[in-house]
Amino acid sequence: MAAILPPSMLGILGGGQLGRMFAVAAKTMGYRVTVLDPDANAPAAQFADVHLCAPFNDAAALKTLAQTCAAVTTEFENVNADAMRELARTTRVSPSGDCVAIAQDRIVEKSWINKAGLPTAPYLAIESVEDIQVELSPYLPGILKTARLGYDGKGQVRVSTAEEARAAYANLGGQACVLEKMLELKLEVSAIVTRVSSAQMAVFPVAENSHENGILDVSIVPARIAPALAASAQQMAQSLAEALDYVGVLAVEFFVLADDSLVVNEIAPRPHNSGHYTLTACLTDQFQQQVRAMCGLLPGRTDLLSPVVMVNLLGDVWKEDGREPNWDVLAEAPNAQLHLYGKKQARPGRKMGHFNVMAATADEALEQAEALKDTL
Ligand code: ADP
Ligand code: MG
């Protein structure tokens, strides 16, 4: 297929921070951008040529996207996969609606991961109340997760006994769930792969991720794990992209267990919060890769230019009376880059921005990043 070149119009479903950083990358390369998002203040709208301010399933807005965009992508997985399949009848859509549908449902997702020959935590798929009337001990203590619409730790209940698991399932209203064995994690890491075709793949350096209340807090790159283990995570991410015949940017989250084995946790069919370090520290960033892949261009090189630490800025950092944090020190730190997403309302847990700190080693970057966060 012929490559799509500037100044073609590119469309994106969703106008949050991921859509905003996509729009910046696309505009920088000379493309035009249309964003579909129902929020008049969508962070991506500030950088878009066209903002279709309508619901994601709005037929007229989807028709405009199909007619005016040379290619369409998404910034979130909970977009209607059928709408993406419909768009694909008239324009180029990546990733495919089929791949997005896989990432939307933990039951389908895990079976695909296993089918690709990769390990997951032991899990039980629960589609109806009969499914949970079996011996649950292989999955306990465990986490009951809703199959759909969970993110940032939402839709999850920790359970230790079969009674607790069954009660929690009933409490979630009997919706489809997975009961996953709670594993002892040494670390969490992620690998982000860009795939245009089997012959055209590039994978970013592995990030080490720490979470706070189920939300990503800090990513450290390179991950402080053995190089062979990092290479194996990259390899697994690539083989998953291949198994899915995936086109676009695919993020793969892993658990590192006590014996240094890797287990796939979940995937995201888009750039990922743990890849924001690439904006500062890689030759090509993850949003440039998203643009390149959807346009059928070769992925760019993913070399790490320097050890780097990314720190998320949640609404919790804002002052109680609504005042901004003290940006003065962070904004002029010579080895730091501040990114704010232009969201009007700061709320606890809401992702408002992030900053990247580069230093000679990952440990040094971490130390400096923590000190900078303390100045806010
Ligand atoms: P989300 O979609 O909310 O990111 P995840 O499945 O990634 O959901 O779970 C969020 C976090 O909860 C993980 O990053 C990890 O810290 C923890 N977690 C999830 N599943 C397990 C598990 N099976 N064993 C141990 N910790 C887990
Ligand atoms: Mg996760």
Side-chain angles (χ1 to χ4, degrees), residues 106 151-153 156 188 211 214 253 265-266 272:
R106 292 189 195 275
Y151 69 98
D152 288 345
Q156 302 193 2
E188 294 189 60
H211 299 81
E253 296 180 11
N265 173 26
E266 61 171 352
H272 193 258

Side-chain angles (χ1 to χ4, degrees), residues 4-349:
I4 295 166
L5 297 171
S8 300
M9 181 72 88
L10 305 180
I12 185 159
L13 301 166
Q17 65 268 17
L18 300 178
R20 175 184 174 99
M21 292 181 268
F22 164 83
V24 171
K27 295 288 292 173
T28 302
M29 288 170 76
Y31 292 95
R32 290 169 296 142
V33 173
T34 297
V35 170
L36 172 60
D37 193 294
D39 178 1
N41 294 318
Q46 298 163 10
F47 288 95
D49 295 273
V50 179
H51 176 197
L52 300 170
C53 191
F56 292 115
N57 57 1
D58 185 271
L62 289 167
K63 193 165 166 211
T64 304
L65 268 182
Q67 287 175 344
T68 60
C69 296
V72 175
T73 188
T74 182
E75 64 133 29
F76 72 136
E77 49 271 43
N78 291 321
V79 61
N80 186 320
D82 282 332
M84 294 186 77
R85 293 185 186 107
E86 182 61 30
L87 280 172
R89 290 151 56 103
T90 37
T91 187
R92 239 151 93 167
V93 176
S94 64
S96 67
D98 291 349
C99 284
V100 171
I102 291 167
Q104 272 173 4
D105 186 306
R106 292 189 195 275
I107 298 175
V108 185
E109 179 183 47
K110 286 183 193 299
S111 75
W112 266 93
I113 294 165
N114 292 154
K115 239 191 302 184
L118 306 178
T120 53
Y123 73 97
L124 175 72
I126 307 163
E127 282 169 299
S128 70
V129 69
E130 290 81 58
D131 294 336
I132 202 169
Q133 304 311 321
V134 296
E135 180 56 47
L136 298 181
S137 53
Y139 317 104
L140 294 171
I143 309 185
L144 186 73
K145 302 180 181 178
T146 60
R148 304 180 74 88
L149 298 174
Y151 69 98
D152 288 345
K154 294 184 178 63
Q156 302 193 2
V157 189
R158 298 188 173 212
V159 294
S160 350
T161 65
E163 292 66 43
E164 272 178 37
R166 292 185 185 116
Y169 173 72
N171 260 334
L172 288 169
Q175 58 181 309
C177 287
V178 293
L179 176 60
E180 212 177 292
K181 186 165 177 66
M182 176 79 84
L183 301 175
E184 201 174 315
L185 312 185
K186 189 159 147 187
L187 275 182
E188 294 189 60
V189 300
S190 56
I192 298 174
V193 57
T194 309
R195 183 177 180 277
V196 180
S197 68
S198 302
Q200 301 168 341
M201 273 202 258
V203 60
F204 284 110
V206 170
E208 171 186 338
N209 302 319
S210 65
H211 299 81
E212 192 79 49
N213 303 320
I215 306 176
L216 183 65
D217 180 29
V218 172
S219 293
I220 301 163
V221 191
R224 296 167 299 178
I225 56 176
L229 193 61
S232 146
Q234 289 178 311
Q235 188 51 50
M236 287 164 83
Q238 284 174 289
S239 57
L240 198 50
E242 188 64 29
L244 295 166
D245 194 19
Y246 192 88
V247 177
V249 174
L250 177 72
V252 184
E253 296 180 11
F254 298 90
F255 298 143
V256 181
L257 306 186
D259 63 355
D260 275 341
S261 62
L262 286 167
V263 165
V264 178
N265 173 26
E266 61 171 352
I267 62 174
R270 49 170 173 76
H272 193 258
N273 194 166
S274 69
H276 291 351
Y277 79 85
T278 63
L279 287 161
T280 307
C282 287
L283 217 45
T284 315
D285 70 56
Q286 62 170 349
F287 302 99
Q288 294 169 332
Q289 297 287 50
Q290 185 179 22
V291 172
R292 295 168 79 125
M294 76 189 288
C295 291
L297 303 171
L298 283 176
R301 278 174 53 177
T302 52
D303 314 37
L304 190 67
L305 304 175
S306 159
V308 61
V309 163
M310 190 255 3
V311 178
N312 259 349
L313 294 170
L314 302 184
D316 312 61
V317 176
W318 269 248
K319 310 292 174 194
E320 266 173 28
D321 58 8
R323 268 182 310 123
E324 290 286 310
N326 303 316
W327 297 125
D328 44 356
V329 176
L330 175 55
E332 61 182 0
N335 58 335
Q337 281 183 353
L338 174 63
H339 291 251
L340 293 173
Y341 306 148
K343 297 185 182 178
K344 291 220 157 63
Q345 277 290 325
R347 286 191 298 272

